[in-house]
Amino acid sequence: KKNLRLVSLNLVNTAITDAGLAHLVEFKKLEKLYLMQSKVTEGGVDKLAKALPGLVVNQGPQFSTVTVEEPITGKQKKKK
């Protein structure tokens, strides 16, 4: 059986895409995900948010929306 205890994952400056994010739904204990300078879209993050509602995602300034230090719910807060 797979060991799926991953709680934090840093994918900063990687080539991960929305298709790659889809595989992270298996990590039910994932709490923090860092995606700055990656190739994911807001739509990809929204799908992951629905699958892992307690996940905190830091996307950095690459998107018009960003959630930092708050669980994402599929509806992200606009960056100020």
Side-chain angles (χ1 to χ4, degrees):
K1 189 174 179 178
K2 293 180 184 177
N3 183 352
L4 302 177
R5 296 183 188 176
L6 185 67
V7 294
S8 181
L9 183 59
N10 182 343
L11 295 171
V12 172
N13 201 26
T14 65
I16 190 163
T17 63
D18 293 348
L21 276 188
H23 295 281
L24 297 180
V25 299
E26 297 179 35
F27 296 92
K28 301 296 183 193
K29 296 185 184 216
L30 188 60
E31 298 172 359
K32 293 189 178 190
L33 180 61
Y34 300 92
L35 294 171
M36 289 80 75
Q37 300 174 353
S38 67
K39 298 185 183 287
V40 298
T41 67
E42 290 179 83
V45 172
D46 287 344
K47 286 181 183 178
L48 185 61
K50 290 175 184 170
L52 301 173
L55 182 64
V56 175
V57 176
N58 186 327
Q59 297 168 280
Q62 74 189 58
F63 295 129
S64 60
T65 58
V66 63
T67 302
V68 180
E69 300 306 322
E70 292 182 25
I72 56 178
T73 61
K75 291 184 178 178
Q76 298 174 333
K77 294 183 177 182
K78 291 281 184 188
K79 160 175 104 166
K80 294 181 181 178

